[in-house]
Amino acid sequence: NAGVTQTPKFQVLKTGQSMTLQCAQDMNHNSMYWYRQDPGMGLRLIYYSASEGTTDKGEVPNGYNVSRLNKREFSLRLESAAPSQTSVYFCASSESRTQYGYTFGSGTRLTVV
Amino acid sequence: AQSVTQLGSHVSVSEGALVLLRCNYSSSVPPYLFWYVQYPNQGLQLLLKYTSAATLVKGINGFEAEFKKSETSFHLTKPSAHMSDAAEYFCAVSKTGANNLFFGTGTRLTVIP
């Protein structure tokens, strides 16, 4: 099925470990996003990529890096995981104009112990 | 600046009763408005969107929302709740030229049999 694919679905890390969350979309969308979801806080934007070759910080970028590998793929890296990064991470994609809304992946549930 | 306020983090209704989930937005220009639904352990799915066409927008699963500029509101309604409507609902706002959507903190809907 067409859409946004995230891997892995679940991950447990020890404090200080690193990992990369993968995201790929097959809808030929220009823009891609990484959000984190925490109870009572809704979705907060970590980073976004308006088009291939560009990335920009969102609301909560500290502790994260991103790579827009090509038009399809947008990865999120935690260099040194901290317990505060325990969250559910969602990748999304959209046409260039936000009036069309987003298509979301199914999420990655990350626990840092 | 754009923002969204969802009144009520939890709403409970009886099966068959009216569902009303409230969303108020702030935007300096005409907005694009969205409602997303999230079922347990899943990603967000677009319910409906307002993009400056008809002010009453119909979405999937019998939901609809009305854009009221004078009240800066975009409340979500459904005439008769079904058990399968139990989920978390997010309101989001964007505008022309914006790079991303801004999400509310969500409302968890419980349907009582």
Side-chain angles (χ1 to χ4, degrees):
Chain A
N1 292 335
V4 178
T5 302
Q6 289 183 237
T7 56
K9 293 189 181 301
F10 301 94
Q11 184 71 49
V12 178
L13 289 179
K14 294 182 178 179
T15 298
Q17 287 185 318
S18 63
M19 77 162 295
T20 300
L21 281 65
Q22 306 287 352
C23 176
Q25 54 93 6
D26 58 6
M27 296 169 288
N28 203 35
H29 284 167
N30 286 313
S31 302
M32 298 185 73
Y33 311 83
W34 277 105
Y35 282 85
R36 59 178 288 173
Q37 182 182 25
D38 301 291
M41 305 189 75
L43 280 79
R44 293 181 292 169
L45 182 65
I46 304 171
Y47 272 92
Y48 67 96
S49 171
S51 61
E52 184 179 357
T54 69
T55 61
D56 286 284
K57 295 178 180 179
E59 182 183 356
V60 289
N62 292 344
Y64 305 95
N65 286 299
V66 290
S67 295
R68 184 74 183 267
L69 303 171
N70 47 56
K71 190 171 186 178
R72 291 187 62 247
E73 299 173 286
F74 187 39
S75 63
L76 178 72
R77 184 163 178 82
L78 287 69
E79 291 290 351
S80 179
S84 61
Q85 294 177 304
T86 294
S87 186
V88 181
Y89 292 85
F90 287 101
C91 178
S93 69
S94 73
E95 301 279 356
S96 297
R97 293 174 288 180
T98 57
Q99 68 186 85
Y100 299 109
Y102 293 167
T103 300
F104 280 89
S106 57
T108 296
R109 186 173 297 274
L110 175 66
T111 302
V112 183
V113 298
Chain B
Q2 302 165 82
S3 68
V4 170
T5 302
Q6 292 185 240
L7 296 176
S9 57
H10 292 86
V11 171
S12 294
V13 299
S14 298
E15 190 175 15
L18 172 72
V19 176
L20 171 61
L21 304 183
R22 299 178 185 274
C23 174
N24 289 87
Y25 69 91
S26 66
S27 176
S28 57
V29 297
Y32 303 133
L33 293 159
F34 307 83
W35 275 101
Y36 283 85
V37 60
Q38 184 181 30
Y39 299 103
N41 299 315
Q42 294 187 27
L44 280 74
Q45 177 184 359
L46 182 65
L47 263 182
L48 50 81
K49 61 184 178 185
Y50 167 78
T51 57
S52 77
T55 57
L56 181 62
V57 181
K58 294 187 183 298
I60 62 172
N61 301 337
F63 283 93
E64 62 181 35
E66 186 173 9
F67 172 66
K68 292 187 176 180
K69 184 178 179 180
S70 61
E71 300 177 8
T72 61
S73 68
F74 190 58
H75 301 332
L76 182 70
T77 60
K78 181 175 180 177
S80 177
H82 191 272
M83 295 300 294
S84 60
D85 295 327
E88 189 153 21
Y89 293 81
F90 292 91
C91 184
V93 65
S94 185
K95 65 179 181 180
T96 301
N99 290 315
N100 57 277
L101 273 61
F102 294 88
F103 287 84
T105 53
T107 297
R108 183 170 299 279
L109 176 66
T110 300
V111 181
I112 303 166

